[in-house]
Amino acid sequence: MQMNNLDTLPKKKILSLFMTCGFPTLSQSKKIFNEMLSHQPDVIEFGLPFSDPMADGPIIQEANKLALSSNLSTQQSLNLIKELSKSKNNTSFVIMCYLNTVRKFGVDKFIKSIKNIVDGIIIVDLPFEEESEIKKSLSKNNIHLIKLISPMTDKKRAQKLLKGSKGFIYYISATGITGSNKLDYKEINKNVKSLKKMSKIPVLVGFGIKSKKDVLEISKKTNADGVIIGSALIQKYFDLKMDINKYLIDLRKFITEVKV
Amino acid sequence: MKTYKQPSTVGRFGEFGGMYVSETLMPLLLNLDKSYKKIQKDKKFKKELNDLFKNYVGRPSSLHYAKNLSKYINGPKVYFKRDELNHTGAHKINNCLGQILLAKKMGKTRIIAETGAGQHGVATATVCALFGLPCYIYMGSKDIERQKPNVFRMKLLGATIIPVESGSKSLKDAMNEALRDWIKNVRDTFYIIGSTAGPHPYPKMVRDFQSVIGKEAREQILKVEKKLPDYLIACVGGGSNAMGLFYPFLNDKKVKIIGVEAAGRGAKTEETAATMTSGTPGILHGSYSYVLQDNDGQIKEAHSISAGLDYPGVGPEHSHLKDIKRVKYFGVTDKEALEAFQTCSKLEGIIPALEPSHALAYLMKAFKNKHKNKVVILNMCGRGDKDLFTAAKAIGFDADE
């Protein structure tokens, strides 16, 4: 079995970049991911577009809608990820998706398609209570099921969720949907510290991280091992009036900046 | 058949239901489930709710023998369970009262809800006014356009309406936005879901609060007919009025039960809301149930003339009842529902909402010259005032004149 890149994440200052597959179009999406890959971030999260992304904010929903407007299929997204994996090197590939996408594709077929390509998967709406079956097949294929922990998750529940978990812990920094609310560093630090006592794997903070400043503050003011940036990357595309060439230049600048 | 006992402790109706939500919501739902279990045993809560049912809603709603319609159909004796006579004009208030009492008990200070036809929005705004809680209603902009009277009602009641512009701009998207609001404001907010849809414990909770309809109907029919009905008929969107009527009869094997879905322009067309006729099992809004979806699991947009039935999903309990064949589900088109809407108005002096007009249409079609000497209870779950403009437009009557 191949090595899982998530098992060799650096100890500190981990950078994970999220981007919706097929956004804004399939061919432009490839350019965007190639740009991201050229920076060799520690993790790239591939969002599989879903018509009803209820745990995501309006920016990612809009990205999903754009991607789906050209009838992008799950298979096309998976093909794209496979193609990109040829130049993944040490970058961990993680898929972020909703359960209906996996179920409809076929759980076994899905796992088979991403085996040896993808290191981890976040199924946003698959709670701990429902995960056992999928988790087993994933683990057989050396794909880590990444756990989300929210500020609402109490200690007892977090312990249950994190038992035997691998890869990293995705800590949702704001009690909010992706790309909203302000960051409360004190609360983040308190919760991250508590999580680090429960598990040895890195804790990444996501949701609401928008700038180099946010990245530095997280690193300075909290005990987190890294950050996840998603909505902010996508927002730029809309800010630049959907000009893909300008966007690619801006993306390069932004990633260079946040890669501290 | 074994005694019907659903859902399981984790919210499963057979294989359907469950809690498919992100970890931001999970602790809340588990907490809600716990609180709900607790108040179910609370006598004071029950008494408070029953008082409100009686004195605020006007329960029990009557069971009306629709003589003229029965004669017209030339089939069974048709009774209307008249939940359209409730305060606010539909069955939705039953559930809202139950949930707001629970919200109060849980110490929540802000209420959110989604609405399609506006009936649930009006009912939620009403109970919020009664209990003095701020109320935010998510409503698709398409529905705001076609349900103007209800929008005004909600505003009068002090609610803030938040138009939803995403997706199909109707009920499904309103629910997405309301769920987002809840995730963002988890600490102080209670989400009053209006249908037997969504993650556990909502489908169970809404059914329980609505089952007052069936309990009353059972007593009332036994009194007048000295027997149980042969048929129950109700319309199904998400399915709350239907579950409310059906649930207390599920163990009465001899009672045949029919759910009527909105087939829009036809169940086989792309413009339909007949989830159980045209859909397949999938996950929407945190629950596993029949949904309208494509081969990749992308949820399709539904279509129905009735905003209350314009939903691409259906409650998990209905999905289960379909699969165990306890309830049969049929589709009725916009056109058929509109005809029934007019016929009922003329024959019974009752202007039904477009939602129960679907149930009426099925009854008029399938029971015509048949099932004589049988007794049918149809759930008249809402009145048609809110639909006057939509219906006038569809029929070709200039309501502005």
Side-chain angles (χ1 to χ4, degrees):
Chain A
M1 202 173 278
Q2 278 197 3
M3 236 190 54
N4 188 315
N5 281 354
L6 286 170
D7 295 336
T8 52
L9 281 173
K11 288 276 169 268
K12 276 284 158 197
K13 292 185 177 173
I14 299 167
L15 177 66
S16 177
L17 301 174
F18 169 91
M19 182 56 65
T20 303
C21 281
F23 162 79
T25 65
L26 189 55
S27 62
Q28 291 177 353
S29 177
K30 204 170 131 187
K31 285 184 191 162
I32 293 171
F33 279 116
N34 272 323
E35 177 59 43
M36 288 163 71
L37 257 179
S38 72
H39 298 269
Q40 293 284 303
D42 303 305
V43 182
I44 292 183
E45 288 174 32
F46 298 85
L48 300 186
F50 180 50
S51 54
D52 292 78
M54 66 177 191
D56 286 297
I59 300 160
I60 292 177
Q61 177 170 32
E62 200 52 35
N64 284 352
K65 201 172 145 190
L66 259 181
L68 291 174
S69 66
S70 51
N71 289 320
L72 180 86
S73 67
T74 306
Q75 187 66 62
Q76 282 173 309
S77 292
L78 296 183
N79 290 348
L80 171 70
I81 297 169
K82 187 175 177 183
E83 204 188 318
L84 292 162
S85 72
K86 286 174 197 149
S87 41
K88 86 186 245 203
N89 298 318
N90 290 326
T91 298
S92 298
F93 275 22
V94 170
I95 282 180
M96 191 159 179
C97 63
Y98 287 81
L99 183 58
N100 206 41
T101 306
V102 181
R103 281 257 185 100
K104 202 68 186 160
F105 195 85
V107 174
D108 291 341
K109 192 178 148 201
F110 190 94
I111 294 175
K112 216 172 134 194
S113 308
I114 61 170
K115 187 182 172 178
N116 297 330
I117 296 168
V118 165
D119 306 284
I121 183 165
I122 303 165
I123 307 174
V124 185
D125 56 348
L126 178 70
F128 166 74
E129 283 76 2
E130 309 272 359
E131 75 181 17
S132 65
E133 201 185 322
I134 288 187
K135 196 179 173 182
K136 232 184 268 163
S137 327
L138 285 170
S139 124
K140 254 189 228 154
N141 291 285
N142 198 24
I143 300 164
H144 300 337
L145 183 63
I146 308 295
K147 292 297 173 55
L148 294 165
I149 299 283
S150 96
M152 300 304 290
T153 316
D154 64 28
K155 209 171 158 188
K156 210 172 130 201
R157 182 169 170 81
Q159 266 164 345
K160 219 163 55 172
L161 261 69
L162 296 177
K163 204 177 155 205
S165 70
K166 289 181 176 172
F168 61 86
I169 298 165
Y170 189 141
Y171 176 72
I172 301 160
S173 43
T175 318
I177 39 185
T178 46
S180 64
N181 287 21
K182 280 193 195 129
L183 296 169
D184 179 346
Y185 296 107
K186 230 169 139 184
E187 190 188 22
I188 294 171
N189 192 39
K190 192 185 96 201
N191 289 332
V192 168
K193 260 190 184 159
S194 150
L195 290 173
K196 288 185 76 74
K197 273 184 209 149
M198 293 175 203
S199 168
K200 286 198 173 77
I201 57 174
V203 180
L204 270 60
V205 171
F207 285 40
I209 294 166
K210 294 190 175 80
S211 61
K212 181 182 180 177
K213 186 177 152 265
D214 292 341
V215 176
L216 288 174
E217 300 271 282
I218 291 273
S219 149
K220 212 164 66 190
K221 293 183 182 166
T222 80
N223 226 355
D225 304 303
V227 294
I228 299 161
I229 307 175
S231 301
L233 291 183
I234 292 170
Q235 179 65 47
K236 289 182 180 302
Y237 176 74
F238 296 110
D239 291 346
L240 293 166
K241 304 211 161 54
M242 308 207 251
D243 182 326
I244 185 71
N245 293 319
K246 277 190 193 160
Y247 178 61
L248 287 169
I249 296 166
D250 196 67
L251 195 63
R252 164 164 292 190
K253 210 178 113 215
F254 182 74
I255 298 173
T256 315
E257 243 178 57
V258 293
K259 233 186 143 212
V260 282
Chain B
M1 199 176 91
K2 278 184 278 178
T3 307
Y4 184 86
K5 213 178 162 198
Q6 302 281 354
S8 69
T9 49
V10 291
R12 293 272 176 201
F13 302 88
E15 61 174 322
F16 296 103
M19 301 164 116
Y20 295 100
V21 297
S22 71
E23 184 56 26
T24 34
L25 280 183
M26 226 23 225
L28 281 149
L29 287 171
L30 293 170
N31 186 30
L32 179 63
D33 190 34
K34 220 160 102 194
S35 305
Y36 178 57
K37 274 190 190 131
K38 218 159 97 191
I39 60 114
Q40 275 181 301
K41 292 176 202 141
D42 185 342
K43 278 190 189 138
K44 219 178 111 200
F45 178 89
K46 227 178 222 171
K47 190 180 170 296
E48 214 176 334
L49 185 60
N50 284 338
D51 280 351
L52 286 164
F53 275 172
K54 189 172 165 220
N55 301 313
Y56 192 65
V57 180
R59 303 210 70 95
S61 68
S62 62
L63 189 73
H64 162 70
Y65 171 37
K67 213 178 190 173
N68 300 336
L69 188 85
S70 301
K71 201 171 149 199
Y72 170 82
I73 295 172
N74 188 31
K77 260 177 117 169
V78 178
Y79 285 86
F80 290 167
K81 177 59 179 164
R82 296 199 59 191
D83 255 54
E84 106 279 10
L85 290 177
N86 292 346
H87 178 43
T88 73
H91 69 289
K92 295 288 186 188
I93 189 91
N94 305 331
N95 166 53
C96 288
L97 282 170
Q99 287 198 43
I100 203 157
L101 283 180
L102 178 56
K104 278 275 196 189
K105 291 246 169 347
M106 290 175 75
K108 303 290 179 181
T109 53
R110 178 178 176 268
I111 302 291
I112 57 168
E114 84 296 335
T115 196
Q119 289 306 103
H120 175 58
V122 167
T124 306
T126 301
V127 300
C128 285
L130 182 67
F131 286 89
L133 290 178
C135 176
Y136 297 85
I137 305 286
Y138 287 87
M139 188 171 190
S141 57
K142 192 172 118 191
D143 290 337
I144 290 180
E145 190 48 46
R146 59 179 166 177
Q147 301 289 344
K148 278 183 191 153
N150 271 345
V151 172
F152 185 54
R153 263 180 210 123
M154 287 184 269
K155 284 189 178 163
L156 276 177
L157 293 161
T160 306
I161 317 264
I162 306 169
V164 176
E165 299 287 351
S166 57
S168 58
K169 300 172 188 174
S170 62
L171 184 56
K172 164 183 94 122
D173 310 285
M175 203 157 167
N176 281 331
E177 288 302 328
L179 281 163
R180 286 193 184 119
D181 180 310
W182 202 27
I183 293 174
K184 229 196 276 188
N185 300 293
V186 287
R187 287 180 176 92
D188 63 345
T189 298
F190 190 99
Y191 179 15
I192 298 188
I193 292 185
S195 197
T196 47
H200 179 68
Y202 282 102
K204 171 182 162 54
M205 195 163 69
V206 177
R207 173 200 73 191
D208 292 349
F209 288 137
Q210 290 295 0
S211 65
V212 64
I213 301 172
K215 273 182 219 149
E216 286 174 8
R218 206 167 190 283
E219 273 176 36
Q220 289 165 323
I221 201 79
L222 282 172
K223 213 169 179 183
V224 288
E225 288 290 336
K226 311 277 182 286
K227 64 165 196 170
L228 287 173
D230 299 290
Y231 292 91
L232 300 175
I233 302 183
C235 62
V236 178
S240 71
N241 91 83
M243 272 329 301
L245 177 66
F246 298 169
Y247 185 58
F249 291 94
L250 288 176
N251 284 321
D252 302 309
K253 277 180 265 177
K254 282 188 183 154
V255 179
K256 295 190 178 80
I257 307 181
I258 294 166
V260 183
E261 295 190 294
R265 302 210 160 87
K268 291 200 174 100
T269 69
E270 283 291 306
E271 290 173 279
T272 184
T275 310
M276 289 203 277
T277 321
S278 315
T280 48
I283 296 159
L284 176 65
H285 297 142
S287 166
Y288 183 60
S289 69
Y290 279 87
V291 289
L292 298 173
Q293 59 182 333
D294 69 12
N295 290 332
D296 268 339
Q298 308 295 353
I299 310 302
K300 288 190 195 171
E301 290 179 10
H303 166 83
S304 168
I305 189 169
S306 140
L309 303 180
D310 197 349
Y311 182 60
V314 66
E317 189 159 22
H318 284 293
S319 302
H320 174 62
L321 291 170
K322 173 193 158 80
D323 277 16
I324 63 166
K325 299 190 170 72
R326 178 64 186 98
V327 179
K328 283 191 175 146
Y329 295 87
F330 300 95
V332 153
T333 63
D334 290 349
K335 199 170 157 268
E336 292 168 318
L338 262 174
E339 279 166 20
F341 172 80
Q342 296 170 78
T343 309
C344 178
S345 301
K346 272 180 203 143
L347 287 178
E348 288 297 329
I350 294 170
I351 301 175
L354 284 172
E355 290 79 21
S357 294
H358 284 75
L360 280 162
Y362 181 78
L363 175 76
M364 289 181 202
K365 188 167 67 173
F367 286 70
K368 185 97 191 156
N369 304 324
K370 268 188 251 171
H371 306 298
K372 286 178 194 175
N373 308 318
K374 300 284 184 198
V375 170
V376 175
I377 298 178
L378 180 142
N379 201 9
M380 186 58 73
C381 59
R383 65 177 85 131
D385 308 41
K386 69 179 174 64
D387 295 316
L388 291 182
F389 291 103
T390 308
K393 203 175 147 199
I395 294 163
F397 177 81
D398 188 354
D400 286 334
E401 251 178 33

